[in-house]
């Protein structure tokens, strides 16, 4: 108990002290969050009418971002798996960062789902016991369970490890290893369940495909580690926390293979939709080429496809992947490409054309964009806090003292 | 005559009503029948038998509620007595606490304002309608009526009537008779207190070119005289599927199928996630993107808790076969308003009903039957 209080005190001190750069960064995120909160207050007051959504396209930017971030959260497993189970020592320094990333991504997921609700005040109806939970029929109820469960796992394992390191002790494998095993399966589950959320809808042929789940996994295991490489790059530059090049190279390899599989699946999807287009291919036709003069999504999907292709080629070529600059560039391109593909390129076209063939297009409003930016800022804020606590402990700068808890 | 003009004459249609379907269409349908695409009356009878059996078996949720049912909270929790009691005590404590808090914080507030706050608080913490006992249903209805009175000074008549025993509602739409007058749409909006500002409609009338039934090529927003030469009209709305995808996906069981087959929404339980709207293959669900606006004098005051009572922003709504009318033995507003007699409604379990006559004698079909949703909404031609 004393340890925990000391830990919290030290953690608060650690996150509130830092370089000027750190303070500017946090102030910037806070500013974005406040902007998001203001935009959200307008949405609460007037209803979801202030968004670009309608009865035609009833999910938009929020659910798009939610879907993408589930993938980012799931990808933390790519780092957990080798570290704890394959005893691949290279990854141990990166893995805490990966789990922090998962926590931040999950916080964003839950925030995106909440801001998308028409009646956020009635969210308690979802709590089993006092509410009424449609389990196991509704895939959304599965999603609530797996996301919160995954959040719990990814909070407790790093907390245990950090608390023990904080006391200068070595964490017991028997305690955290079972949790790690569960989290490996759980990570696959969160992405599959989220894919099933869409794949289970017979009303939307664009989503009602058995490839949706596997493709979600492939793109997640490309986008997640790609973000990881970028984040580790920033951490290496700004702190003493040094992650070896060999670790980065291994993560890059994971990203590369996942990106290649994702491309194969994309080709498979395109073949099915366009070799002999049917009534069920209309959404894909709308997405890639426009339909009946409506082509609101073509300007999103083509850059995404091209960026995906470029990034995959860059990663596949060894000289480029081994070069830190090109690696980071490829990861950035890949990350953005998959963000578009999983967002504007997957959720929106599912609704177009509507069940009776009517085309209603969707463009996010400034309120949606600002709220989205606010939620991203929240995620980055949470991530920065977690890293700011974890790094001094891992570096041995922050240790528990019985008398004085005030350590730099 | 204009589609959007309500003041058309009955006579003009009466001349045309007797017309049978256009020859090209009937040939087309005959062809489809030969290819076994459409249902035959025999097949429909078989389907009906299955439906009826299913209805009699019940699935637990849909059992008629004549036995004594514990309170909503208790049913929800389904836990040993001590926990039930605990939940009840907590709920009661919250209510009492809220009342005290309100009184303590607003010594100068009027009795009315305090009553309003208390009622709002109790409404916020009430359970799902399906799990309420009849007493609890009456209590929430009384609260809603009182709140409306406090807010507007006008009286509402909200019913919480349960499904009638031995009733399963079904609907048939005569494609040869519909001429696109849209009287059904207007009657529906007035009856069901739909948002006038967004122009929400439960019914869509699709104008098809003769020679094909392809909804992608149909015109859904027509602003010209009807019937248009060379066109025919098909109306769609909620089909009240026996196997509704929307009910499956709701994470909080805010939407369900009543024992009389009507798919309803508890507007006070819905959290507004819109998963049901994505799951519906028939574009039957409507979301309140903003607070609905209905001029006070146009509000239909004869309401049902699961039907046309006033909605708020952020909740889903849909056609309820005018539950407030049909449970008192009346026809839905659209059926009553249709000047051509294209709409037929009735009890599928009554062998002598008009709907059963149609299913027996006409070649009927349903839309997107391949999805297995089992709509209780059939189409036919004379």
């Amino acid at each position: 108990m004393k340890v925990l209080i000391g830990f919290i005190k030290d953690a608060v001190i650690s996150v509130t002290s830092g370089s000027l750069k750190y303070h500017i960064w946090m102030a910037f995120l806070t500013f974005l969050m406040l902007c998001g909160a203001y935009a959200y207050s307008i949405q609460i007051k007037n209803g979801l009418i202030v968004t670009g959504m309608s009865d035609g396209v009833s999910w938009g930017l929020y659910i798009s971002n939610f879907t993408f971030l589930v993938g980012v959260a799931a990808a933390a497993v790519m780092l957990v798996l080798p570290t704890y189970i394959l005893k691949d020592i290279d990854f141990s320094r990166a893995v805490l960062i990966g789990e922090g990333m998962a926590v931040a991504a999950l916080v964003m997921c839950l925030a995106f789902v909440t801001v998308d609700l028409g009646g956020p005040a009635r969210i308690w109806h979802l709590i089993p016991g006092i509410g009424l939970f449609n389990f196991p029929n509704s895939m959304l109820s599965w999603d609530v369970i797996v996301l919160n469960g995954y959040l719990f796992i990814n909070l407790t394992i790093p907390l245990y490890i950090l608390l023990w390191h904080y006391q200068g002790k070595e964490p017991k494998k028997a305690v955290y290893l079972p949790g790690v095993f569960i989290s490996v399966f759980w990570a696959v589950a969160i992405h599959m369940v989220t894919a099933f959320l869409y794949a289970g809808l017979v009303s939307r042929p664009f989503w009602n495909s058995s490839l949706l789940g596997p493709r979600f996994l492939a793109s997640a295991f490309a986008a997640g580690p790609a973000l990881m490489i970028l984040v580790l790059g920033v951490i290496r530059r700004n702190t003493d926390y040094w992650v070896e090049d060999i670790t980065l190279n291994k993560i890059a390899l994971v990203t590369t293979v996942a990106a290649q599989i994702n491309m194969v699946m994309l080709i498979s999807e395109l073949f099915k939709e366009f070799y002999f287009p049917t009534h069920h291919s209309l959404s894909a036709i709308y997405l890639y080429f426009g339909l009946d003069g409506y082509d609101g999504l073509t300007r999103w999907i083509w850059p995404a496809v091209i960026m995906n292709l470029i990034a995959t080629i860059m990663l596949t070529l060894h000289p480029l992947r081994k070069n830190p600059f090109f690696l980071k560039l490829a990861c950035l391109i890949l990350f953005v490409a998959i963000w578009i593909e999983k967002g504007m390129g997957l959720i929106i076209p599912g609704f177009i054309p509507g069940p009776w063939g009517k085309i209603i297009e969707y463009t996010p409003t400034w309120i949606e964009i600002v709220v989205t930016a606010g939620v991203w800022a929240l995620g980055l804020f949470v991530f920065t806090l977690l890293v700011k606590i974890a790094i001094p402990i891992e570096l041995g700068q922050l240790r528990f003292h019985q008398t004085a808890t005030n350590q730099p | 005559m204009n589609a959007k003009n309500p003041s058309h004459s009955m006579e003009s249609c009466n001349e045309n009503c007797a017309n049978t379907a256009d020859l090209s269409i009937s040939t087309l349908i005959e062809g489809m029948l030969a290819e076994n695409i459409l249902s035959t009356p025999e097949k429909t009878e078989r389907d009906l038998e299955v439906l009826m059996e299913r209805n009699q078996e019940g699935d637990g949720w849909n059992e008629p509620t004549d036995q004594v049912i514990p309170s909503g909270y208790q049913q929800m929790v389904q836990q040993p007595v001590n926990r039930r009691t605990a939940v009840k005590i907590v709920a009661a404590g919250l209510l009492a606490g809220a009342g005290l808090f309100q009184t303590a914080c607003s010594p100068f507030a009027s009795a009315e304002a305090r009553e309003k706050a208390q009622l709002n608080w109790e409404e916020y913490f009430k359970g799902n309608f399906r799990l309420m006992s009849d007493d609890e249903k009456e209590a929430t209805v009384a609260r809603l009526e009182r709140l409306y009175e406090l807010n507007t000074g006008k009286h509402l008549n909200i019913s919480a009537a349960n499904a009638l025993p031995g009733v399963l509602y079904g609907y048939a739409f005569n494609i040869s008779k519909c001429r696109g007058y849209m009287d059904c749409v207007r009657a529906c909006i007035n009856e069901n207190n739909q948002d006038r500002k967004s122009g929400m409609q439960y019914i869509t009338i699709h104008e098809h070119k003769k020679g094909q039934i392809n909804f992608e090529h149909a015109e859904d927003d027509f602003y010209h005289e009807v019937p248009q030469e060379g066109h025919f009209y098909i109306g769609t709305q909620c089909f009240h599927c026996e196997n509704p995808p929307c009910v499956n996906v709701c994470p909080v069981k805010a939407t369900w199928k009543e024992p009389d087959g009507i798919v309803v929404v508890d507007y006070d339980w819905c959290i507004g996630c819109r998963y049901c709207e994505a799951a519906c293959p028939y574009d039957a669900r409507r979301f309140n993107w903003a607070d609905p606006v209905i001029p006070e004098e146009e509000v239909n005051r004869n309401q049902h808790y699961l039907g046309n009572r006033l909605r708020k922003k952020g909740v889903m709504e849909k056609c309820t076969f005018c539950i407030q009318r049909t449970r008192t033995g009346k026809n839905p507003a659209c059926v009553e308003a249709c000047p051509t007699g294209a709409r037929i409604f009735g009890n599928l379990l009554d062998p002598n009903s008009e709907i059963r006559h149609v299913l027996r004698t006409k070649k009927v079909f349903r839309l997107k039957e391949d999805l297995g949703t089992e709509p209780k909404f059939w189409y036919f031609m004379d």
Side-chain angles (χ1 to χ4, degrees):
Chain A
M1 201 59 214
K2 246 183 187 170
V3 180
L4 198 64
I5 293 168
F7 178 75
I8 292 167
K9 270 190 189 163
D10 278 348
V12 170
I13 291 161
S14 176
V15 297
T16 46
S17 55
S19 62
L20 182 65
K21 219 169 155 186
Y22 170 74
H23 281 294
I24 290 173
W25 168 242
M26 293 308 257
F28 170 68
L29 291 180
T30 310
F31 172 72
L32 278 185
M33 282 192 282
L34 286 173
C35 290
Y38 170 68
Y40 185 57
S41 75
I42 296 175
Q43 185 189 305
I44 286 284
K45 200 167 146 236
N46 298 300
L48 286 159
I49 188 95
V50 298
T51 68
M53 294 183 274
S54 64
D55 281 326
V57 181
S58 50
W59 282 337
L61 200 58
Y62 299 150
I63 296 295
S64 299
N65 275 285
F66 157 76
T67 311
F68 174 73
L69 285 165
V70 169
V72 173
V77 76
M78 289 316 294
L79 306 162
V80 172
L81 189 72
T83 311
Y84 293 119
I85 296 165
L86 308 178
K87 300 191 178 68
D88 199 330
I89 205 72
D90 289 332
F91 281 81
S92 64
R93 296 210 117 180
V95 76
L96 273 175
I97 309 294
E99 277 174 335
M101 211 168 85
V103 170
L106 284 164
V107 167
M108 285 190 263
C109 285
L110 296 174
F112 272 120
V113 173
T114 309
V115 296
D116 187 65
L117 289 182
R122 294 185 293 280
I123 202 165
W124 64 273
H125 295 172
L126 269 172
I127 303 169
I130 60 164
L132 195 57
F133 206 46
N134 191 8
F135 186 81
N137 280 351
S138 171
M139 289 318 292
L140 202 53
S141 68
W142 282 74
D143 223 19
V144 170
I145 291 174
V146 292
L147 287 181
N148 283 297
Y150 194 62
L151 181 62
F152 177 77
I153 293 171
N154 278 294
L155 274 175
T156 46
I157 295 175
L159 184 71
Y160 170 76
I161 293 170
L162 285 179
L163 267 179
W164 257 244
H165 281 167
Y166 175 65
Q167 296 171 76
K169 293 193 274 187
E170 198 51 39
K172 290 192 192 74
K173 280 209 165 147
V175 175
Y176 69 79
L177 216 54
V180 172
F181 271 108
I182 296 171
S183 89
V184 169
F185 291 106
W186 210 287
V188 177
I190 65 165
H191 222 40
M192 287 306 259
V193 166
T194 308
F196 291 168
L197 196 98
Y198 307 106
L201 301 181
V202 292
S203 53
R204 312 284 170 185
F206 188 66
W207 297 337
N208 191 14
S209 137
S210 47
L211 189 60
L212 199 73
R215 179 125 195 257
F216 262 46
L217 281 180
S219 60
F221 290 155
L227 180 63
M228 197 67 206
I229 290 170
L230 296 173
V231 167
L232 287 176
V234 173
I235 290 175
R236 281 214 308 191
R237 207 169 51 243
N238 290 300
T239 69
D240 301 329
Y241 195 70
W242 188 255
V243 180
E244 298 296 328
D245 279 341
I246 188 163
T247 310
L248 284 181
N249 287 340
K250 279 202 175 172
I251 301 175
L253 200 64
V254 169
T255 313
T256 308
V257 174
Q260 288 164 345
I261 295 174
N262 188 36
M263 283 311 284
V264 172
M265 288 180 176
L266 173 67
I267 291 164
S268 163
E269 231 169 36
L270 291 176
F271 174 79
K272 181 249 169 191
E273 301 284 17
F274 293 108
Y275 181 70
F276 197 100
T278 68
H279 171 83
H280 286 172
S281 312
L282 287 175
S283 293
I285 294 172
Y286 169 74
L287 174 63
Y288 288 99
F289 303 109
L291 191 65
D292 297 343
Y294 297 97
D295 58 356
L297 290 183
T298 51
R299 74 194 74 141
W300 289 90
I301 198 66
W302 283 111
V305 169
I306 292 164
M307 282 157 77
N308 228 326
L309 204 62
I310 292 172
T312 309
I313 292 169
M314 279 171 76
L315 287 170
T316 307
L317 300 173
H318 285 274
L320 288 183
R321 193 177 71 236
K322 296 262 162 67
N323 178 319
F325 171 75
F326 281 109
L327 175 63
K328 278 180 199 159
L329 185 66
C331 285
L332 185 67
I333 294 174
L334 189 67
F335 185 77
V336 174
I338 291 174
W339 180 73
I340 297 173
E341 180 194 282
K342 281 284 147 300
M344 296 303 273
L346 178 77
I347 305 305
I348 316 300
F351 289 101
I352 304 170
W356 298 124
K358 199 171 173 181
I359 298 174
I360 297 169
E361 293 200 291
Y362 164 81
T363 321
T365 58
W366 72 266
I367 288 184
E368 264 173 300
I369 293 167
V370 173
V371 170
T372 302
V375 174
W376 273 93
L378 170 73
L380 291 172
F381 192 89
V382 168
F383 179 70
T384 315
L385 290 186
L386 293 174
V387 169
K388 196 76 181 26
I389 298 166
I391 287 179
I393 293 178
E394 287 301 295
L395 290 177
Q397 295 166 347
L398 199 61
R399 283 288 176 265
F400 177 62
H401 291 264
Q402 289 287 3
T403 44
T405 50
N406 197 352
Q407 282 282 311
Chain B
M1 122 192 12
N2 197 294
K4 297 286 168 188
N5 178 9
S7 61
H8 67 80
S9 60
M10 289 283 287
E11 288 77 27
S12 64
C13 89
N14 283 343
E15 301 159 16
N16 301 327
C17 287
N19 282 3
T20 48
D22 188 278
L23 190 67
S24 63
I25 301 301
S26 13
T27 334
L28 192 79
I29 299 298
E30 292 295 332
M32 289 168 98
L33 267 175
E35 287 167 39
N36 218 355
I37 292 170
L38 300 186
S39 299
T40 59
E42 294 75 46
K43 181 170 179 289
T44 310
E45 282 286 303
R46 276 202 308 279
D47 288 348
L48 261 184
E49 273 160 32
V50 174
L51 281 186
M52 277 173 245
E53 265 167 39
R54 235 183 261 156
N55 193 53
Q56 265 137 33
E57 282 162 23
D59 56 3
W61 280 112
N62 287 341
E63 285 302 311
T65 52
D66 31 78
Q67 72 270 42
V68 184
I69 283 182
S71 82
Y73 280 114
Q74 289 171 350
Q75 265 214 354
M76 266 179 263
V77 178
Q78 292 280 339
Q79 295 286 331
V81 178
N82 52 358
R83 179 138 170 229
R84 277 189 200 174
T85 328
V87 170
K88 237 191 159 172
I89 289 167
V90 169
L94 278 174
L95 295 182
L100 277 175
F101 181 77
Q102 280 295 335
T103 328
C105 290
S106 49
F108 304 113
S110 67
E112 257 189 16
R114 256 178 288 162
E115 188 189 357
K116 216 194 278 186
Q118 174 72 29
L119 287 174
N120 276 327
W121 182 270
E122 285 175 29
E123 274 297 292
Y124 178 73
F125 280 106
K126 74 182 172 184
N128 183 309
F129 185 75
R130 179 162 51 167
L131 302 170
M132 288 183 193
S133 67
D134 284 349
D135 286 346
E136 283 170 320
K137 286 179 183 174
E138 288 310 319
T140 180
V141 160
R143 281 198 298 269
L144 289 169
E145 286 177 348
R146 178 71 186 137
L147 272 172
Y148 193 74
E149 214 171 316
L150 288 172
N151 285 329
T152 65
K154 303 247 169 64
H155 185 70
L156 288 181
N157 181 20
I158 303 177
S159 158
N162 291 322
L164 302 167
V167 172
L168 184 67
Y169 291 117
Y171 205 114
F173 186 97
N174 189 339
I175 296 170
S176 4
K177 280 191 176 168
C178 179
R179 318 205 77 80
Y181 296 141
M182 308 273 279
D183 281 354
C184 50
V185 175
R186 276 182 293 274
C188 176
I189 292 169
N190 291 333
E191 170 67 31
N192 289 301
N193 294 324
Q194 281 150 38
D195 178 23
R196 307 294 201 270
K197 204 174 167 190
S198 66
M200 187 192 287
Q201 300 179 3
Y202 294 163
I203 303 173
T204 312
I205 302 289
H206 309 261
E207 187 181 69
H208 292 258
K209 264 211 182 74
K210 283 190 177 170
Q212 56 174 353
I213 299 186
N214 185 341
F215 281 85
E216 272 132 41
H217 299 152
E219 184 58 63
D220 294 356
D221 305 296
F222 46 89
Y223 293 91
H224 52 67
E225 280 207 347
V226 291
Q228 188 83 342
E229 188 56 41
H231 290 77
F232 67 101
Y233 299 85
I234 298 183
T236 57
Q237 58 203 72
C238 174
F239 292 162
H240 298 274
C241 306
E242 266 301 288
N243 182 19
C246 53
V247 167
N248 263 341
V249 300
C250 177
V252 293
K253 297 190 186 178
T255 183
W256 66 89
K257 196 177 77 213
E258 283 278 285
D260 52 7
I262 301 178
V263 177
V264 293
V265 180
D266 182 342
Y267 311 121
D268 291 338
W269 196 256
C270 172
I271 57 171
C273 71
R274 307 187 297 290
Y275 197 11
C276 56
E277 195 167 27
C280 176
Y282 301 110
D283 188 29
R285 290 185 165 251
R286 299 287 177 269
F287 188 68
N288 285 288
W289 298 94
D291 262 317
V293 180
I294 307 152
E296 188 53 44
E297 64 280 6
E298 288 179 29
V299 172
N300 178 2
R301 294 179 203 287
N302 285 322
Q303 303 177 355
H304 191 286
Y305 190 94
L306 299 171
N308 59 344
R309 84 184 157 98
L310 300 168
R311 276 80 67 184
K312 53 193 163 214
K313 69 165 182 271
V315 300
M316 198 54 73
E317 61 174 280
K318 61 185 284 300
C319 157
T320 62
F321 275 166
C322 288
I323 199 166
Q324 65 281 354
R325 295 170 61 92
T326 45
R327 284 201 177 161
T328 62
K330 290 192 220 161
N331 268 330
C334 50
V335 174
E336 204 171 86
C338 179
T340 67
R343 292 171 173 270
I344 289 155
F345 179 81
N347 181 5
L348 292 170
L349 301 183
D350 173 8
N352 300 318
S353 63
E354 199 184 352
I355 178 91
R356 283 292 291 276
H357 175 76
V358 168
L359 296 181
R360 213 167 24 237
T361 56
K362 303 289 182 185
K363 289 168 178 167
V364 298
F365 68 96
R366 299 181 286 186
L367 293 177
K368 299 193 188 177
E369 215 163 4
D370 49 334
L371 297 181
T373 50
E374 303 280 352
K376 293 194 289 292
F377 197 106
W378 288 267
Y379 293 89
F380 68 100
M381 277 157 256
D382 284 331

